[in-house]
Amino acid sequence: MEQHLFVLVDLLGTFAFAVSGALAAEQKRLDLFGVAAISLLTACGGGVIRDLCLGALPPVGISDWRYLATSMAAAACAIWARRLIAHLEQPILFFDALGLGFFAVTGALKALLLQQNVEVAILLGLVTAVGGGVMRDVMLTRVPVILQKEIYALAALLGAAIQVLGHYLEWRVALTPWFAASVCVALRLLALRYSWSLPVVQGRDRADR
Amino acid sequence: MEQHLFVLVDLLGTFAFAVSGALAAEQKRLDLFGVAAISLLTACGGGVIRDLCLGALPPVGISDWRYLATSMAAAACAIWARRLIAHLEQPILFFDALGLGFFAVTGALKALLLQQNVEVAILLGLVTAVGGGVMRDVMLTRVPVILQKEIYALAALLGAAIQVLGHYLEWRVALTPWFAASVCVALRLLALRYSWSLPVVQGRDRADR
Amino acid sequence: MEQHLFVLVDLLGTFAFAVSGALAAEQKRLDLFGVAAISLLTACGGGVIRDLCLGALPPVGISDWRYLATSMAAAACAIWARRLIAHLEQPILFFDALGLGFFAVTGALKALLLQQNVEVAILLGLVTAVGGGVMRDVMLTRVPVILQKEIYALAALLGAAIQVLGHYLEWRVALTPWFAASVCVALRLLALRYSWSLPVVQGRDRADR
C-alpha cells in the first residue's frame, strides 16, 4: 500500500514541477522540444538525485514510463491551458510550491522505506524538493528560487520533518503524506502572499570577493 | 566486439567534446590548467551522469586512462591547431555537434548492453549527449546551448532513438552506431547552417517571475 | 586508524567550506535558513559527488550527523564571529583555500581505501576539492572560482597527487594527509597573495559563439 501511495504523491509532484518547468521554458521562448526537455528535467531532477543517493538505480524518473508520461502531459497542459493558468498571479511559483510539498514528502518517504536514518530522510526530502527547481533555474539562467527572499527551503524541510515524525509516531500511513505536503505548500504560498521571510544576517559593509 | 565498438565511439565523442570545452575555456581566457580541466569536464561530464544512473561505478570517465588521455590530447590539439580550427565558422558548436552524435549513441548503447529498458536507453542517450555541454556552459557562465534556437536536444534524441531501434530490429551491430550518430550530427549541423528551429510556444504578454 | 584520520581531515574540510559558503550566502543577503542551506551544500557537495562516484551510498555528507553538525557549527561561527573574520582580507577565498586542501586529500584517500586506481584517486581528489565551491558559486550566481586567474584547481590536483604518492611510497600514514593538504593550501594562498597564475592560451581575435 505504501508503495502505491508513494508513487501517487511522487507523480503529483512530477506533474506540478513539470508545469512550472514548462512555463519557465516558454517564458524564455524555447522551442516545443526545449519546453518538453526542461519540463522533464525540472520534474525528475530532484528525484534522480534522491535515487542516486539511495542507490535505487536506475532512477525511476528515467526508467518508469509513468514519470515521463506525466511530465509530457503536464507540459502539454501548460501550453494548451495557458489562458487558464494566466489567471494565477505567479504561475511558475505556484506550481513550484505544489511540487515542493509533494517532493519533500516523497524524498523523505523513499529514504524511510529503504531503511535509511532520520537525517538521510529529512535531508533527501529537502534535496528532492529543491533539486528540480534549482536545475530549472540554472539551465534557464533565471535567478534561483533559493535566492528569493520568501521562505522556500525551510518549507521543504518542515514538510520532510513532519513526514518523518509521522513515520516514527506511526500516524496513519495513508494520511501523513497529505498532511506533511499541505503544511509545506501552505507555508510556501502564505510566505509568497504575505512576503514572509526569515531574518537576514546583517551584511558586511566592505566589498569582498 | 560490441564492447570495442562502444569504447571507440565513446572516445570519439570524448575527443570532440574535449575540443569544444578547450575552445570555450580559451575564449574565457582560462589558464592552461583551467583549459585542461574544463576540457575534461565537458568530455566526461555526460558519461559520468550516464554511469551514475546505470550504477556502472566508478564512471569510466574517471577510471579508464584512455578517456583522460583522449581529453588531454584533444585539449592540446585545440591549443596547437588553433589556426586550422579557426577556419571553421563556429568551432565550439561544430565540435559540440560531433560530440552530441557520438554520445547520444553511447548513452543509449551502454544502457542496452546493461539490459535496461527502451526508455532508459533513449533518455540516457539524450542526457549523455547534452550533459557535458551544459556543464561546460554553466561552469564558464556562457549561455547554455539548450537555450539557443536551433534544433539541439531533438537531434540527440533522434540519434539515441535510431540506435535503440537498430538494436531491437537487429541491424548490423557494427554499422548502427555510425548511422545513428551521423543522422544526429547532420541534423544539428544543418540546423545551425540553415537556422532550422522548432516552433516556439507563443509567449505571454504579462511579465511573470 | 586510517578511518579516524580520514574523518578528521574530512570534517576539517567540511568546516572550512561551510564557513566559505555561509560568508558567500550572507553576502548575497540570504535569510538565516538560506545561509545554513548553502553552507551545508558547499561543505558536503564535493563529498557527495565523490561518494556517488565510489558507490559509497548513502553519501556520508547526508547520512553521518557529524558532517551536518560541523556545517551548522561553522555557519553559526561565520555569523557570530563576523567581526573577527572581517580582519581577513578575503575571507571567502581564505576558507575556500583551506577546504580545497583538506578535500583534495580526503577525495584521494577515500578512493585509495576503497581500492580504486591512481587515476580515480587523483581525479576524485580534484573533484571533491573543487565540487563544493563550484556548487556554491553556481547557486549564488557568483563568478565560479575556477574562472579566476590565480592558481586554483592545480593546487587541488597537487594535493591529491602528493597524497597518492605518499600512499604508494608508504610514507607515514598519520603525516601524509597533513603534508599534502598543507602544500595545496600554501600554494593556493601564495597564488592569491602574489597573483600567481599559469600562462593563458593566447585568445583568438575573432568573436566566436
Side-chain angles (χ1 to χ4, degrees):
Chain A
M1 219 272 307
E2 275 198 311
Q3 190 57 39
H4 285 295
L5 181 66
F6 170 81
V7 171
L8 176 62
V9 181
D10 215 27
L11 288 178
L12 285 172
T14 301
F15 190 90
F17 265 125
V19 171
S20 88
L23 293 172
E26 274 180 53
Q27 211 179 300
K28 286 275 178 180
R29 303 194 161 274
L30 262 66
D31 61 42
L32 273 175
F33 187 79
V35 170
I38 294 292
S39 177
L40 183 63
L41 178 85
T42 311
C44 295
V48 166
I49 298 178
R50 174 195 66 201
D51 291 354
L52 288 177
C53 287
L54 291 171
L57 301 178
V60 289
I62 62 166
S63 63
D64 185 331
W65 65 272
R66 293 173 295 185
Y67 290 81
L68 180 61
T70 303
S71 295
M72 294 304 98
C77 287
I79 292 172
W80 282 315
R82 224 161 24 194
R83 294 255 170 86
L84 279 175
I85 289 173
H87 288 291
L88 294 169
E89 252 188 65
Q90 296 173 326
I92 299 175
L93 290 179
F94 175 76
F95 285 100
D96 187 90
L98 288 185
L100 195 75
F102 291 124
F103 277 173
V105 165
T106 63
L109 198 50
K110 187 156 189 176
L112 292 171
L113 293 177
L114 292 173
Q115 318 291 341
Q116 299 292 341
N117 66 29
V118 175
E119 183 187 337
V120 174
I122 294 183
L123 288 182
L124 280 189
L126 177 58
V127 168
T128 308
V130 169
V134 166
M135 290 189 199
R136 175 195 63 209
D137 295 343
V138 168
M139 293 281 287
L140 296 177
T141 63
R142 303 169 83 234
V143 177
V145 276
I146 206 164
L147 288 189
Q148 300 176 357
K149 66 181 198 306
E150 295 89 358
I151 287 170
Y152 185 74
L154 181 62
L157 187 82
L158 192 66
I162 293 175
Q163 174 62 45
V164 171
L165 193 72
H167 182 85
Y168 281 100
L169 297 184
E170 298 184 8
W171 293 349
R172 287 179 63 181
V173 170
L175 293 185
T176 312
W178 307 110
F179 175 61
S182 304
V183 171
C184 171
V185 174
L187 175 56
R188 171 65 179 154
L189 290 179
L190 287 169
L192 280 175
R193 176 73 185 74
Y194 297 105
S195 298
W196 288 350
S197 53
L198 293 173
V200 171
V201 182
Q202 205 182 321
R204 242 187 301 281
D205 294 318
R206 295 195 310 115
D208 181 10
R209 274 217 295 195
Chain B
M1 218 273 306
E2 277 198 311
Q3 191 56 40
H4 285 294
L5 180 65
F6 170 80
V7 172
L8 175 62
V9 180
D10 215 26
L11 288 178
L12 285 171
T14 300
F15 190 90
F17 265 124
V19 171
S20 88
L23 292 173
E26 274 180 53
Q27 211 179 301
K28 286 274 178 181
R29 302 194 162 273
L30 262 66
D31 62 40
L32 271 175
F33 188 78
V35 169
I38 294 291
S39 177
L40 183 63
L41 178 84
T42 311
C44 296
V48 166
I49 299 178
R50 174 195 66 201
D51 290 354
L52 288 178
C53 287
L54 291 171
L57 301 178
V60 289
I62 62 167
S63 62
D64 185 331
W65 66 272
R66 292 173 295 184
Y67 289 81
L68 180 62
T70 302
S71 295
M72 294 304 98
C77 286
I79 293 171
W80 282 316
R82 224 163 22 195
R83 293 255 170 86
L84 278 175
I85 289 173
H87 287 290
L88 294 169
E89 253 189 65
Q90 296 174 326
I92 299 174
L93 290 179
F94 176 76
F95 286 99
D96 187 271
L98 288 186
L100 195 76
F102 292 125
F103 277 174
V105 165
T106 62
L109 199 50
K110 187 156 189 176
L112 292 171
L113 294 176
L114 293 173
Q115 318 292 340
Q116 300 291 342
N117 65 30
V118 175
E119 184 187 337
V120 174
I122 294 183
L123 288 182
L124 280 188
L126 176 58
V127 168
T128 308
V130 169
V134 165
M135 288 189 199
R136 175 195 64 210
D137 296 343
V138 168
M139 293 281 287
L140 296 177
T141 63
R142 305 170 82 236
V143 177
V145 276
I146 207 165
L147 289 189
Q148 299 175 357
K149 67 181 196 307
E150 294 90 0
I151 286 169
Y152 185 73
L154 181 61
L157 186 83
L158 193 65
I162 292 176
Q163 174 63 46
V164 171
L165 194 71
H167 182 84
Y168 281 100
L169 297 184
E170 299 185 9
W171 293 349
R172 289 179 62 181
V173 169
L175 293 185
T176 312
W178 307 110
F179 176 61
S182 304
V183 171
C184 171
V185 174
L187 175 56
R188 172 64 179 154
L189 290 180
L190 287 170
L192 281 173
R193 176 72 186 74
Y194 297 105
S195 300
W196 288 350
S197 53
L198 294 173
V200 171
V201 182
Q202 205 183 321
R204 244 186 302 279
D205 296 318
R206 295 193 311 115
D208 182 11
R209 276 217 294 194
Chain C
M1 216 270 307
E2 277 198 309
Q3 190 57 41
H4 285 294
L5 181 66
F6 170 81
V7 171
L8 176 62
V9 180
D10 215 27
L11 288 178
L12 286 171
T14 300
F15 190 90
F17 265 125
V19 171
S20 87
L23 293 173
E26 274 180 52
Q27 209 179 302
K28 286 275 177 179
R29 304 193 161 276
L30 262 65
D31 61 42
L32 272 175
F33 188 79
V35 170
I38 293 292
S39 178
L40 183 63
L41 178 84
T42 311
C44 295
V48 166
I49 299 179
R50 173 195 67 202
D51 291 353
L52 288 178
C53 286
L54 292 171
L57 302 179
V60 288
I62 62 167
S63 61
D64 185 331
W65 65 272
R66 293 173 295 185
Y67 289 82
L68 180 61
T70 303
S71 295
M72 294 304 98
C77 287
I79 292 171
W80 282 315
R82 224 161 24 194
R83 293 256 170 85
L84 279 175
I85 288 173
H87 287 290
L88 294 169
E89 251 187 68
Q90 296 173 326
I92 299 175
L93 289 179
F94 176 77
F95 286 99
D96 186 271
L98 289 185
L100 196 76
F102 293 123
F103 277 174
V105 165
T106 62
L109 199 50
K110 187 155 188 175
L112 293 171
L113 293 177
L114 292 173
Q115 318 292 339
Q116 299 291 341
N117 66 29
V118 175
E119 184 187 338
V120 174
I122 295 184
L123 288 182
L124 280 188
L126 176 58
V127 168
T128 308
V130 169
V134 165
M135 288 189 201
R136 175 195 63 210
D137 296 343
V138 167
M139 293 281 287
L140 296 177
T141 63
R142 303 171 82 236
V143 177
V145 275
I146 206 164
L147 288 188
Q148 299 176 357
K149 67 181 196 307
E150 294 88 0
I151 287 171
Y152 185 74
L154 182 61
L157 187 83
L158 193 66
I162 292 175
Q163 174 62 46
V164 171
L165 194 71
H167 182 85
Y168 280 100
L169 297 184
E170 296 183 9
W171 293 349
R172 288 179 61 180
V173 169
L175 293 185
T176 313
W178 307 110
F179 175 62
S182 305
V183 171
C184 171
V185 174
L187 176 56
R188 171 65 179 154
L189 290 179
L190 287 170
L192 280 174
R193 177 72 184 76
Y194 298 105
S195 299
W196 288 350
S197 53
L198 293 173
V200 170
V201 182
Q202 203 182 322
R204 241 188 303 281
D205 296 317
R206 295 196 308 115
D208 182 9
R209 276 217 294 195

